[in-house]
Amino acid sequence: MHTLTATLIAAGFLAAAPLSADMIRVSNHVGNMIADMEAEETMMNEQGDLETLRFEPWQMLGEMFQRDDVVYLMRHGPTDWSNLDVKNVAPEDCENQRVMSEAGKQDMQNLGRILADNGILPGAIVVSEWCRNQQTLENLMAGFEAAEPGITDGIPVETSEDLNLLLSLQGAPDVSDLRERISNWSGSGGKGPLLLISHFTNVEELTQFTVYEGEVLVLDPKRDNRVLGYFRLSSAKPDIGHFQN
C-alpha cells in the first residue's frame, strides 16, 4: 500500500478499499490523479504532457471517490464549435448538431481510463439523447474497457429526455426531473455512484456552477444535493461557446 494511501485511510478520508493509482497533492485544496503506469505512454494530451485528472477539494477525497451514494453530474465531452446546432435540431440528428471533436473523444477515453485505473466506476448511468452526450458515453466506456476488458459488463445505462438540453426542441422543460433523479439516488449496493451525462445549461440551472466540457460535479443527495467538489482532466479548458465572447 502506498504511504499516501495509508495516511489517507488513517485520516478517515478513504474507505478500506484504497484507490489503486497514485495521487499528487497540488495545493492545499487541489489534487491530481493519474492512470496506471502502464498507460502513461498513451495518456499524453495535445500539449504533450501526461494527462491527469484534476479534482478539488483534496479534503473531500474520500467522499467524492469512495461512496456509491453520491451522484456524478457531468457535462458532455469537448465538442467541435465550428459546427453549431441547427435551429430546432432534433436530439438524434447528428448531422445537424454540434458533436464531439476527435480530440474530445480521446479526452473522454483518457478520463475513463484514469477513473477505472483508480477503481472508480459508476453503478448506473443516465445520459441525454443528444449525439454529443451519447458520444461522451461511448468514449468513456471505451476508456473503462481499456483499463480492464469486460469491466463495464452489468453497468445499467439509460437514455432519458430528462437530461436533454433545456429550452430546445424535444428538450427538458426544466430541471425538476433531473433534480428528482439526484435526490432519489441512495447508492448501488457498493457498485458505484450514479453518473448523469447532461448539458452546460442543465448543470448551471441545477447547481449555479459553470462547468467545462467533460467536467463532473459530485453531488450529495443526503445533503440536499450539495456540490461536494469537482473533477476534470487537467488539460480541460473553457470552451468558446459559454466562456468566451
Side-chain angles (χ1 to χ4, degrees), residues 1-7 9 16 18:
M1 181 183 296
H2 298 299
T3 301
L4 172 59
T5 304
T7 302
I9 291 174

Side-chain angles (χ1 to χ4, degrees), residues 114-150:
I114 294 172
L115 290 172
D117 273 352
N118 282 275
I120 302 166
L121 287 174
I125 302 172
V126 185
V127 58
S128 162
E129 295 177 319
W130 285 67
C131 298
R132 49 187 175 264
N133 298 70
Q134 295 290 325
Q135 292 170 335
T136 299
L137 173 63
E138 177 183 354
N139 285 279
L140 272 176
M141 297 291 259
F144 294 152
E145 288 288 322
E148 181 181 335

Side-chain angles (χ1 to χ4, degrees), residues 112-198:
R113 179 65 189 262
I114 294 172
L115 290 172
D117 273 352
N118 282 275
I120 302 166
L121 287 174
I125 302 172
V126 185
V127 58
S128 162
E129 295 177 319
W130 285 67
C131 298
R132 49 187 175 264
N133 298 70
Q134 295 290 325
Q135 292 170 335
T136 299
L137 173 63
E138 177 183 354
N139 285 279
L140 272 176
M141 297 291 259
F144 294 152
E145 288 288 322
E148 181 181 335
I151 198 172
T152 62
D153 293 350
I155 298 177
V157 176
E158 174 189 353
T159 295
S160 174
E161 61 184 12
D162 292 349
L163 278 67
N164 281 1
L165 183 62
L166 288 176
L167 305 177
S168 64
L169 180 69
Q170 301 178 39
D174 52 46
V175 293
S176 57
D177 289 337
L178 178 58
R179 180 180 292 108
E180 185 175 0
R181 281 183 180 272
I182 296 169
S183 299
N184 290 339
W185 179 253
S186 59
S188 57
K191 296 181 180 179
L194 173 63
L195 171 62
L196 303 175
I197 306 175
S198 192

